[in-house]
Amino acid sequence: MSKKNIALDRLLTIQNHISNQPQQTGPIDLARERENASFNVKHMNWLFWGSKEFAEALQDAFLIIQRDPELHFSGGHPFDLTRPEEREATMKQIFRYIQLKKSLKDPLLFKALGVAMGMYSESFNMKVYVNDYLMAQSFKLFGTTEQYDAYINDIVNWKIIGCFAMTELGHSSFLRGLETTATYDRETDEFIIHSPTLTATKIWIGMAGQTATHTIAICQTIIDGKKCGTNWFIVQLRDQKTGKLMPGVTAGDVGAKYGRNGIDNGWIQFSHVRIPRTNMMMKWSKVDKGGEYIPSAFPAVSYSVLIGERLSVLSGAISTCGQVLTIACRYGCVRRQGANEEQIMDYQSHYVRLMPCVASTYVISVITRMIINKWEGIMKLAQTSQEEFISYLPDIHAISSGLKAAISWWGCEVLERVRRSMGGYAYSSYNGIGGAIGDWGVVTTGGGDNFVLIQQSARYLLGSFKQVSHGKKVTGSVEFLNDIQQIRSSTKSILSDERQLLNLDFTLDMYTWLCCKKVDVLAASLDSSTEGEETTWNENQVDLIKLGELYSYRFTLSEYIKGSLWAIHLINDSLYLFLEEEYFSKEQVKMIKKCHLKLCKEIRKECIPLVDSWGFSDFMLKAPLGKYDGDVYTAYLDTLKAAPNCMGIPDYWEKYVKNF
């Protein structure tokens, strides 16, 4: 302990004796915690965000938001806003953001501002993402050069506000079952967009409720009464000046949600809406003026825009988990409880819950940069080398599907651990946890239901296993299967020393063994069944979902080089699967559990420097119990006093209370 902190401790003791009242120890506790850092916090911040330049730009962006009344929430948070007020505040933020896009000359700073605003408001994040990514990337991936050039400037400058109309009232993940139709009329050279049934209603479409002027809608393409498959179509929803719905378009808002209330998710019904034939996105499939349908050689490409959407969940996990863990760790080191007034973070039950979450956030930050850079490189191939672009799709599709499911489920686990770790205070909206849980909840089903997506990863893994079984080599995320014969020849773990568990290559080998064993067992089970293929798949669905998770987590380990606690957490969390296959002995299981607890305790010593390194300011956190200086109780009570109708006689007193 430094001389400065010894002096502060003595001063606190004297104050307690004089006033005979307990004083807040939070500021001293957090100062002491920060002295435990074995690394440079600023340098760790640069590492976490990928570069010194971007990390510094992000801090500048935080300051821009804090200083600009058009960007930040009045009062510092949105928790007391009504739904209409939050909608207007979100649109005001976007309007200001687009103004700044034109005035800020530094591209890196503007990029950082977009990231920072996404962290500050999930509703802002989602609205901008729907237009700037889903809409814009649809033109890049599905549109011809002419279509892209005709629309892209209006989209990125918000002269056209776009939405992405995929899911329907009766269908979502099963796109071949979608009911909305696009019927070609030869006489007028138009498509007629129509919702033939109630269940064909497009629903949960971001920004369709109130603001989107146009949509990219996926429809069953019908020519001469014959279904030709699903394709994407450009349909105008509203007049760009008046906001009124176009003829034949009926749309409305989905109403109250338990998160992201600043975004107007909506429903759409089309009643014989006519659009030019050229409004069909025709990079891959085409319909000429004579009505001849030229199908895509690669039908799966129509889903490719969803790959980026799924990978965006990883960025969301860094922001959401990073912020709530910063709040929980600071609170856990300030809050004292028990006979000896211990910091609650020092209780094993507390730090063992939270430290794997802190470790995982670092791992996910590295994986996110790597996989998004890879996807951006693949997308460029769509413009330059379409065959090469297609060759990468199966692997990146399996990776994105698996990671989206596994990481969004893990995010739910992190949020729940944080909620429980903060006791009753997490129930207060003003501490940010409830809002984060509400905002995150949609991620496990939006952009593809996790239970469906993770099975796509499992199916890809099983298909790759079959190729290897027939003597073929596989590449990408399943390359490890090429060595499956050697891997499965080992039936028992060679773990003998705890130090082996700190070697990531060793823990990766164990996880690879488990993944190979489970794919081997499942492949045999599926092949030996006498039931039909769909029935057999359904009867093995639980194991297939777990296989998809194993594949996804193995991928994160294979791409990360310093993930000891995260690696041990995954092994510890999967012990029952290893034990099913009799891979570990009783002594080895005890060693793994002991190592897991030991690593959690080691990380706990530096938990405050580790979360400080993420760089979330008090302003961005919007949670008094997560204040950097540790003076959390003063800040929390001040927040309560500032809340609407905190004190005074309520309106219902005269009508009800006094009449008792």
Side-chain angles (χ1 to χ4, degrees):
M1 185 184 297
S2 70
K3 291 181 179 179
K4 180 181 177 182
N5 279 336
I6 291 172
L8 286 172
D9 272 347
R10 289 176 178 170
L11 180 60
L12 181 66
T13 302
I14 293 169
Q15 286 177 331
N16 285 340
H17 283 304
I18 293 173
S19 66
N20 200 30
Q21 293 180 1
Q23 300 294 312
Q24 288 195 52
T25 61
I28 292 175
D29 285 333
L30 289 193
R32 186 186 298 114
E33 293 283 342
R34 291 187 172 106
E35 290 199 340
N36 292 334
S38 63
F39 55 87
N40 185 301
V41 170
K42 182 178 287 187
H43 292 174
M44 185 68 84
N45 176 251
W46 300 345
L47 175 67
F48 185 77
W49 292 112
S51 71
K52 173 179 182 287
E53 292 74 20
F54 184 73
E56 290 177 346
L58 196 59
Q59 293 302 316
D60 287 343
F62 291 166
L63 198 59
I64 290 172
I65 299 169
Q66 186 172 358
R67 290 174 173 174
D68 193 327
E70 301 296 303
L71 290 178
H72 68 243
F73 293 111
S74 177
H77 62 75
F79 304 126
D80 290 315
L81 296 179
T82 63
R83 191 186 341 143
E85 287 171 342
E86 192 169 350
R87 294 278 173 85
E88 183 172 352
T90 303
M91 210 63 231
K92 180 175 73 171
Q93 290 169 336
I94 294 172
F95 187 78
R96 184 62 162 173
Y97 172 72
I98 298 303
Q99 286 181 321
L100 288 169
K101 181 179 182 179
K102 298 171 183 175
S103 63
L104 288 177
K105 303 304 181 184
D106 183 347
L108 185 64
L109 181 56
F110 183 72
K111 177 184 177 182
L113 180 62
V115 172
M117 279 302 303
M119 295 174 184
Y120 186 67
S121 167
E122 276 293 338
S123 293
F124 171 96
N125 186 42
M126 199 63 201
K127 289 192 84 155
V128 170
Y129 182 81
V130 167
N131 186 76
D132 290 8
Y133 186 87
L134 285 180
M135 187 73 170
Q137 288 299 326
S138 293
F139 278 87
K140 191 171 186 178
L141 290 173
F142 307 144
T144 63
T145 301
E146 293 77 16
Q147 288 172 324
Y148 181 83
D149 290 344
Y151 281 89
I152 196 62
N153 284 334
D154 283 349
I155 293 170
V156 298
N157 289 302
W158 285 68
K159 294 179 180 179
I160 282 176
I161 301 176
C163 65
F164 191 75
M166 186 177 74
T167 54
E168 295 179 354
L169 195 61
H171 299 85
S172 55
S173 299
F174 184 58
L175 297 188
R176 292 193 302 276
L178 295 178
E179 298 178 76
T180 304
T181 58
T183 304
Y184 183 61
D185 184 342
R186 292 176 187 274
E187 292 186 8
T188 61
D189 195 28
E190 294 174 318
F191 278 102
I192 303 168
I193 310 299
H194 185 57
S195 306
T197 64
L198 178 70
T199 50
T201 303
K202 298 289 186 183
I203 196 164
W204 288 108
I205 313 304
M207 294 207 290
Q210 297 174 335
T211 52
T213 62
H214 291 69
T215 189
I216 298 293
I218 188 169
C219 307
Q220 296 285 355
T221 310
I222 300 174
I223 301 175
D224 297 331
K226 179 183 177 183
K227 285 187 177 181
C228 301
T230 55
N231 288 283
W232 297 93
F233 296 84
I234 309 161
V235 187
Q236 186 167 356
L237 300 179
R238 292 179 173 87
D239 184 280
Q240 289 167 261
K241 293 294 184 183
T242 67
K244 291 182 178 179
L245 291 168
M246 301 300 288
V249 176
T250 308
D253 194 86
V254 299
K257 310 187 295 279
Y258 72 79
R260 304 192 184 192
N261 279 304
I263 182 169
D264 49 313
N265 295 87
W267 53 271
I268 311 168
Q269 292 172 335
F270 301 105
S271 300
H272 304 286
V273 177
R274 288 181 172 268
I275 61 171
R277 174 181 55 85
T278 52
N279 275 26
M280 174 181 165
M281 305 290 263
M282 294 199 201
K283 179 190 283 286
W284 306 97
S285 301
K286 297 175 176 63
V287 175
D288 65 21
K289 195 168 184 179
E292 181 183 356
Y293 181 73
I294 305 164
S296 169
F298 313 102
V301 78
S302 63
Y303 311 148
S304 57
V305 74
L306 299 176
I307 291 173
E309 182 182 13
R310 290 161 188 167
L311 293 177
S312 72
V313 170
L314 277 69
S315 300
I318 297 169
S319 171
T320 299
C321 295
Q323 291 187 71
V324 299
L325 284 166
T326 300
I327 297 164
C329 286
R330 288 177 182 168
Y331 174 71
C333 290
V334 167
R335 180 73 168 181
R336 289 180 173 272
Q337 203 73 40
N340 297 318
E341 285 290 288
E342 298 286 342
Q343 291 170 283
I344 61 172
M345 187 61 84
D346 285 333
Y347 289 106
Q348 187 185 66
S349 60
H350 202 88
Y351 65 73
V352 167
R353 276 186 290 175
L354 294 181
M355 293 308 102
C357 304
V358 173
S360 72
T361 305
Y362 276 92
V363 175
I364 293 169
S365 74
V366 173
I367 298 301
T368 299
R369 288 196 300 276
M370 180 277 301
I371 195 66
I372 288 180
N373 286 340
K374 181 176 182 178
W375 173 236
E376 288 175 349
I378 292 172
M379 279 198 299
K380 290 177 182 177
L381 294 173
Q383 315 303 320
T384 60
S385 177
Q386 293 184 358
E387 286 192 11
E388 193 176 357
F389 170 71
I390 295 299
S391 71
Y392 281 109
L393 278 185
D395 195 62
I396 194 72
H397 170 70
I399 293 170
S400 67
S401 297
L403 287 179
K404 188 268 182 184
I407 299 304
S408 61
W409 276 332
W410 174 241
C412 290
E413 176 66 18
V414 171
L415 285 161
E416 180 58 18
R417 290 184 182 199
V418 163
R419 186 191 67 79
R420 293 198 302 265
S421 77
M422 293 185 65
Y425 282 122
Y427 199 67
S428 170
S429 292
Y430 301 125
N431 287 317
I433 310 305
I437 291 172
D439 287 341
W440 187 256
V442 68
V443 178
T444 61
T445 51
D449 182 86
N450 279 5
F451 288 110
V452 175
L453 288 181
I454 203 79
Q455 289 178 74
Q456 294 177 16
S457 299
R459 193 180 296 277
Y460 176 69
L461 190 60
L462 286 163
S464 301
F465 172 75
K466 185 173 287 188
Q467 290 183 52
V468 170
S469 300
H470 291 154
K472 297 180 180 179
K473 293 287 185 182
V474 292
T475 59
S477 63
V478 291
E479 191 171 2
F480 66 94
L481 290 176
N482 293 327
D483 300 319
I484 195 168
Q485 292 283 9
Q486 178 185 344
I487 293 169
R488 63 185 174 189
S489 66
S490 172
T491 58
K492 301 292 181 183
S493 173
I494 60 171
L495 174 63
S496 59
D497 190 306
E498 187 179 298
R499 287 172 294 184
Q500 291 172 283
L501 294 170
L502 303 181
N503 182 326
L504 188 61
D505 289 332
F506 186 84
T507 52
L508 176 59
D509 286 345
M510 288 195 294
Y511 218 73
T512 299
W513 180 91
L514 181 60
C515 203
C516 287
K517 182 66 178 178
K518 290 302 182 184
V519 76
D520 198 3
V521 169
L522 265 171
S525 176
L526 293 170
D527 288 343
S528 63
S529 175
T530 58
E531 301 285 349
E533 183 178 344
E534 288 188 12
T535 301
T536 302
W537 187 271
N538 186 50
E539 290 180 349
N540 288 273
Q541 202 171 53
V542 171
D543 289 335
L544 287 162
I545 288 168
K546 179 53 67 175
L547 176 64
E549 276 194 282
L550 292 175
Y551 156 79
S552 302
Y553 282 136
R554 186 210 166 271
F555 177 79
T556 67
L557 292 182
S558 70
E559 298 294 334
Y560 190 74
I561 57 174
K562 291 183 180 178
S564 293
L565 176 53
W566 177 238
I568 298 303
H569 167 78
L570 291 176
I571 298 293
N572 185 69
D573 211 39
S574 301
L575 279 177
Y576 72 100
L577 295 173
F578 283 105
L579 291 172
E580 280 181 355
E581 307 301 337
E582 300 181 346
Y583 185 67
F584 289 136
S585 67
K586 183 178 179 181
E587 289 72 24
Q588 289 170 329
V589 169
K590 289 180 178 178
M591 189 185 301
I592 291 167
K593 288 186 172 181
K594 180 181 177 182
C595 183
H596 181 246
L597 294 175
K598 181 180 177 181
L599 284 175
C600 287
K601 191 171 185 178
E602 287 294 314
I603 296 295
R604 180 267 168 271
K605 295 175 185 175
E606 301 188 82
C607 69
I608 293 302
L610 283 168
V611 300
D612 283 353
S613 297
W614 299 337
F616 296 113
S617 65
D618 289 349
F619 174 79
M620 293 297 292
L621 292 176
K622 304 185 288 291
L625 292 192
K627 275 181 64 66
Y628 181 89
D629 65 7
D631 190 11
V632 300
Y633 298 121
T634 301
Y636 183 53
L637 195 56
D638 286 345
T639 302
L640 298 185
K641 290 177 180 177
N645 305 315
C646 173
M647 294 179 283
I649 301 171
D651 294 340
Y652 57 80
W653 182 277
E654 285 292 320
K655 189 173 182 180
Y656 300 111
V657 180
K658 81 170 188 178
N659 291 320
F660 282 129

